[in-house]
Amino acid sequence: MEGVTEIRRGTLQEQTFYEQVGGEETFRRLVHRFYQGVAEDPLLRPMYPEEDLGPAEERFTLFLMQYWGGPTTYSENRGHPRLRMRHVPFKVDRAAHDAWLKHMRDALDDLGLPEEHDQTMWKYLTYAAASMINTPD
Ligand code: HEM
């Protein structure tokens, strides 16, 4: 029995961030809410090449799930993320960056994660968004 307890303890300690925040459902809710904001945004909406935002929503959801330790479906479908390269066709300037982060902040607020998890996610997203800027003002 002791061994079983040990295994359980080990499993708990090794829980990924993906699992800690609630797994797939959490990421689906986050990105869905984010794209609701994008759909209404006069600066961002025209940047998205497809009329239907559904496939873009799916790609971003799968990317974040993979990044935080969930299933690796994103890379199975899309290969290495190479995010900066994939954003080259889009004019990501300060204004686009700010709009993108604003919708992400709204989406995270709606999710209502515990403070610590919220901060971990926000820190990553703000860092990643800054690194995506490819067009000076
Ligand atoms: C800073 C402002 C940003 C803007 C304006 C922006 C805009 C876009 C646009 C227009 C697309 C194409 C939509 C599609 O067809 O998938 C896209 C794709 C994507 N973006 Fe961003 N993005 C930004 C930041 C970020 C950040 C910070 C991340 C990651 C944390 C990210 C992750 C992705 C992913 C995973 C895709 C799909 C890549 C693929 O597999 O083709 N983006 N983004």
Side-chain angles (χ1 to χ4, degrees):
M1 278 313 282
E2 225 169 81
V4 172
T5 311
E6 277 312 307
I7 289 164
R8 289 216 179 106
R9 275 201 204 115
T11 305
L12 271 178
Q13 278 166 4
E14 284 160 26
Q15 224 191 12
T16 58
F17 184 80
Y18 168 80
E19 288 165 326
Q20 287 174 34
V21 296
E24 177 163 358
E25 195 202 330
T26 297
F27 289 92
R28 292 216 171 269
R29 280 175 52 209
L30 175 71
V31 178
H32 186 67
R33 176 68 182 76
F34 170 75
Y35 271 103
Q36 285 178 336
V38 169
E40 301 290 317
D41 191 295
L43 177 66
L44 294 184
R45 183 60 188 90
M47 289 174 68
Y48 286 77
E50 287 166 309
E51 185 161 339
D52 177 9
L53 286 174
E57 181 175 325
E58 183 69 9
R59 286 189 278 274
F60 190 29
T61 304
L62 291 176
F63 170 79
L64 287 179
M65 285 166 54
Q66 171 173 307
Y67 179 84
W68 291 110
T72 55
T73 319
Y74 175 83
S75 279
E76 282 154 31
N77 296 338
R78 306 286 294 164
H80 191 284
R82 297 181 203 283
L83 285 188
R84 251 189 82 82
M85 191 198 77
R86 287 195 207 263
H87 286 76
V88 166
F90 312 113
K91 188 182 159 205
V92 185
D93 57 10
R94 178 61 55 182
H97 160 277
D98 291 355
W100 192 97
L101 270 183
K102 179 197 169 297
H103 297 303
M104 193 46 89
R105 187 60 259 172
D106 288 348
L108 264 178
D109 285 345
D110 261 24
L111 210 52
L113 291 176
E115 186 64 20
E116 189 198 335
H117 290 151
D118 183 299
Q119 287 200 1
T120 301
M121 193 95 92
W122 183 240
K123 208 172 145 189
Y124 163 69
L125 291 165
T126 49
Y127 168 82
S131 79
M132 226 58 82
I133 293 177
N134 56 24
T135 310
D137 290 331

